[in-house]
Amino acid sequence: VSVTRFTHGTVKEVDEMRTRVSVFAALAAALLAAAPWVSGFERDAGRNVAAERWTTEEIAILASLRLRELPPAPDDETNAVAKVPAAAALGKRLFNDARFSRDGTVSCASCHAENKQFQDGIPLARGVATGTRRTMPIVGAAYSPWLFWDGRKDSLWSQALGPLEDPAEHGGNRTRYAQLMQAHYRVEYEALFGAMPDISKLPRDAGPAGTPGEKSAWNQLDRDSRHAVNRIFSNIGKAIAAYERTLTYQESRFDHYVNGVLERNARARATLTPQEISGLRLFIGKGQCATCHNGPLLTDQHFHNTGVPQRDPKRADFGRAAAVERVQRDEFNCLGPVSDAEGTNCDELRFIVSDDPALEAAFKTPSLRNVALRPPYMHAGQFATLEEVVAHYVKSPPAAVGHNELAHKAPHGVRKPIQLSASEIQDLVAFLGTLSSPIVEATLR
Amino acid sequence: MLRFLAAPLCLSVLVLAACAAPPSDLDVSLKRPTDAGKFIVTLQPPQAAPAINQIHSWTINVATPAGAPVQGARISVDGGMPQHGHGLPTRPRVTRELANGDYLMEGMKFSMTGWWEIKLAIEAAGAADKVTFNRVIETRVGH
């Protein structure tokens, strides 16, 4: 039995296990000759062998998904302390400090729990009230030009400010937070950001997103007072962002496997089971997952409508389409008065897509790192298991709002529908389990 | 029997090709006449290939069919991935007219590898025409 003939001349020789392959083929050929009716075995033998071999093109795709290909998180020029260790240390304390909430019970860590993948494991986030979307993971967020499921924030620090004054999350207000900083973190704050202005005479509770009374109190503040409070408030976000940047993934079994393929290391290649390898092949092949889940974080950082059912059909969630104007008008965006981005271009904001119908009910592609460890799934926790998620993509139903990019009758383009058998869905889910790894906090120096 | 065993292998290669590879006869030339032949347009990509998801600029040159530079053109930019049915992840714009029929196109970004179309609509001196360029973004490893 010739290996060259076996590979049919279309697959380049990339496997060090020629011997094993030829033994497989010879064995299969002998068995088939003896009993031509064992078609199940034919398929299994072919599949096992196929699962071990990758073309040059496939290897290039696999290599591009390795954690090793992840560059350092892009600099955030809007946050002068993004990489300052003392800011990260302060940010970590603020992240875990429940005083920064309406009733003193909710910190960032309440929903972004360290022992739950910095998420909460429930469909809809629960702060001082219940929200309308799923808590997002934090690790790797610094790579994203747009934050939240709908990208309504354009930096990690600006993102951190959203929940602090969201009535359903921390539910607090800006002057309260600024005064808390003055009371409990003044030394650390001033070492990073300079002297704090005197805000002791300002009302205890005032903010533009609060109760009618808080809004009214905020509107009565003079411009300088509002700016002073906004600066302290934004610096809370900048410290928290510095902490969040220190959280990273380690290499997963998938990364070890791909390293093994590239380095021709048979032991590393044995890291994945045949079923997981089969799932990986589907992931980059006919499952089309890697179309959007690309790069080392397995996300294109973009927004897509994939026909995920609305959590509450009576109150439709328009996703990205409703967020574009919000981020453009956000006083805490790249171009705003407390952004440190002097002289930078704010290109993401300048060249934002604002009028594409594809933004209707589009949500951000999440990273798939550690995905198996953090059910439930989708932007409002609509699916409890990965099997349900993959089955949804195979079904690709029409979207209730906007247009499902994956719908089987796409209005434009030549994309083929995703078609997977029940066992292929299982293989794909098995593969997703190989993307898990510990989360580590980079050492602060 | 050997052919039988080889079938799943070839099939997986073909399926991948059908999903991810651009058409083999794709015209990727960067100098093209517009659809009705009113202009000759040349796209100049950045000198160093940008990373995936990195915003960058291109230069567009617009000339008459006789090769004379076209000035004062209004150029709008569109595009996307025809195989995936989505548009560009940013909304690039021509922000400045340079010299000799050159225009600066800012805000370009590719969010993934594969076949991208860049579509330009050009209006100048009472004439309007369109042109589509094809760009294949490759997987870059080891940057």
Side-chain angles (χ1 to χ4, degrees):
Chain A
V1 176
S2 146
V3 172
T4 313
R5 276 181 65 201
F6 176 73
T7 56
H8 212 249
T10 57
V11 179
K12 290 179 183 148
E13 294 297 330
V14 290
D15 197 322
E16 78 280 11
M17 291 196 244
R18 278 171 163 234
T19 320
R20 190 171 156 192
V21 169
S22 59
V23 167
F24 241 124
L27 186 66
L31 273 170
L32 289 173
W37 42 268
V38 282
S39 56
F41 182 83
E42 292 162 24
R43 272 203 299 277
D44 285 345
R47 186 167 154 190
N48 277 344
V49 173
E52 295 287 342
R53 305 184 65 85
W54 300 101
T55 64
T56 310
E57 292 76 16
E58 288 169 331
I59 286 177
I61 296 170
L62 295 181
S64 73
L65 303 176
R66 286 190 299 173
L67 195 62
R68 217 174 263 192
E69 293 299 321
L70 188 68
D75 286 343
D76 180 0
E77 287 158 329
T78 69
N79 180 2
V81 300
K83 294 199 278 192
V84 177
L90 172 61
K92 186 175 183 179
R93 291 171 65 193
L94 296 172
F95 188 90
N96 289 285
D97 191 337
R99 288 175 295 196
F100 287 79
S101 62
R102 170 166 297 280
D103 59 6
T105 63
V106 176
S107 71
C108 304
S110 303
C111 292
H112 300 283
E114 195 177 332
N115 63 353
K116 290 182 186 165
Q117 298 292 314
F118 288 89
Q119 287 183 278
D120 49 13
I122 52 176
L124 299 178
R126 207 175 293 146
V128 295
T130 299
T132 56
R133 293 197 187 133
R134 168 97 170 97
T135 298
M136 295 198 82
I138 282 174
V139 187
Y143 289 85
S144 190
W146 306 108
L147 285 296
F148 285 121
W149 283 109
D150 56 8
R152 66 183 181 273
K153 290 287 191 174
D154 68 344
S155 70
L156 205 46
W157 63 268
S158 182
Q159 185 282 324
L161 304 178
L164 283 169
E165 56 182 3
D166 185 304
E169 300 187 53
H170 299 240
N173 60 72
R174 291 183 198 177
T175 58
R176 174 90 73 101
Y177 293 145
Q179 286 163 0
L180 278 168
M181 287 304 289
Q182 198 149 51
H184 303 290
Y185 295 100
R186 184 163 194 155
V187 173
E188 297 87 340
Y189 181 96
E190 293 191 338
L192 285 161
F193 303 109
M196 263 192 185
D198 181 14
I199 51 168
S200 59
K201 293 197 180 67
L202 298 185
R204 180 165 163 76
D205 290 306
T211 62
E214 290 164 4
K215 282 180 186 165
S216 162
W218 180 254
N219 289 334
Q220 283 166 33
L221 293 181
D222 62 56
R223 205 181 140 167
D224 287 349
S225 297
R226 284 207 296 257
H227 183 70
V229 171
N230 280 348
R231 189 161 284 286
I232 299 171
F233 182 52
S234 66
N235 286 337
I236 294 172
K238 288 175 186 177
I240 291 172
Y243 163 59
E244 291 176 333
R245 285 175 71 97
T246 66
L247 301 170
T248 57
Y249 293 114
Q250 286 189 314
E251 289 198 324
S252 65
R253 283 201 295 129
F254 161 73
D255 299 299
H256 292 306
Y257 172 79
V258 178
N259 293 343
V261 170
L262 278 127
E263 293 156 12
R264 303 187 169 221
N265 176 337
R267 223 174 76 189
R269 289 185 69 151
T271 313
L272 298 195
T273 66
Q275 186 188 24
E276 289 163 345
I277 295 172
S278 165
L280 171 56
R281 190 175 292 286
L282 295 165
F283 185 85
I284 65 166
K286 75 173 186 172
Q288 302 176 44
C289 314
T291 303
C292 293
H293 293 287
N294 59 34
L297 289 175
L298 303 142
T299 168
D300 62 356
Q301 307 285 9
H302 202 52
F303 304 90
H304 300 274
N305 181 333
T306 56
V308 176
Q310 292 277 340
R311 161 71 57 187
D312 181 356
K314 285 185 212 124
R315 292 192 308 167
D317 189 336
F318 291 88
R320 181 61 172 162
V324 172
E325 200 179 315
R326 279 184 75 173
V327 69
Q328 285 174 317
R329 289 171 175 229
D330 191 333
E331 62 186 315
F332 298 120
N333 71 19
C334 178
L335 295 163
V338 294
S339 162
D340 298 324
E342 277 179 57
T344 55
N345 292 326
C346 301
D347 277 347
E348 290 283 358
L349 202 56
R350 278 175 72 209
F351 298 105
I352 191 171
V353 176
S354 56
D355 55 356
D356 186 343
L359 304 182
E360 290 269 305
F363 296 89
K364 189 154 73 177
T365 312
S367 168
L368 294 184
R369 295 240 163 225
N370 285 16
V371 68
L373 305 177
R374 31 185 197 82
Y377 301 105
M378 309 318 221
H379 62 271
Q382 288 94 333
F383 299 129
T385 65
L386 287 171
E387 283 83 354
E388 287 176 46
V389 174
V390 179
H392 167 79
Y393 286 137
V394 172
K395 195 176 164 204
S396 291
V401 174
H403 175 74
N404 178 3
E405 276 181 35
L406 303 177
H408 289 180
K409 284 188 181 166
H412 48 174
V414 293
R415 200 188 61 77
K416 289 188 161 47
I418 297 171
Q419 288 174 320
L420 300 173
S421 68
S423 72
E424 286 174 328
I425 291 176
Q426 291 304 318
D427 292 356
L428 200 43
V429 170
F431 161 69
L432 293 172
T434 72
L435 296 167
S436 301
S437 73
I439 293 170
V440 288
E441 187 182 323
T443 315
L444 304 171
R445 286 181 196 158
Chain B
M1 272 178 286
L2 288 176
R3 194 182 299 154
F4 192 94
L5 274 167
L9 261 176
C10 301
L11 194 64
S12 66
V13 171
L14 287 173
V15 167
L16 180 78
C19 299
S24 55
D25 58 347
L26 193 66
D27 183 347
V28 294
S29 56
L30 289 172
K31 182 172 185 175
R32 307 174 75 103
T34 48
D35 295 349
K38 293 178 183 172
F39 308 107
I40 304 289
V41 183
T42 310
L43 274 190
Q44 193 186 324
Q47 284 190 334
I52 295 292
N53 272 334
Q54 183 188 348
I55 293 189
H56 60 277
S57 304
W58 294 58
T59 305
I60 302 169
N61 182 273
V62 186
T64 64
V70 172
Q71 285 163 350
R74 285 189 299 163
I75 305 172
S76 60
V77 187
D78 197 1
M81 297 192 86
Q83 288 171 311
H84 301 157
H86 63 73
L88 297 171
T90 51
R91 180 58 42 85
R93 287 194 305 274
V94 169
T95 52
R96 225 164 3 123
E97 183 172 351
L98 309 168
N100 303 319
D102 282 350
Y103 298 82
L104 182 67
M105 175 171 69
E106 287 190 272
M108 196 54 129
K109 176 165 110 169
F110 301 110
S111 49
M112 61 181 76
T113 57
W115 168 28
W116 290 83
E117 287 181 331
I118 301 170
K119 298 178 177 189
L120 304 179
I122 299 168
E123 277 181 64
D129 209 349
K130 291 178 177 180
V131 60
T132 300
F133 290 89
N134 298 301
R135 191 78 178 154
V136 177
I137 305 300
E138 309 280 354
T139 306
R140 287 204 314 151
V141 173
H143 48 81

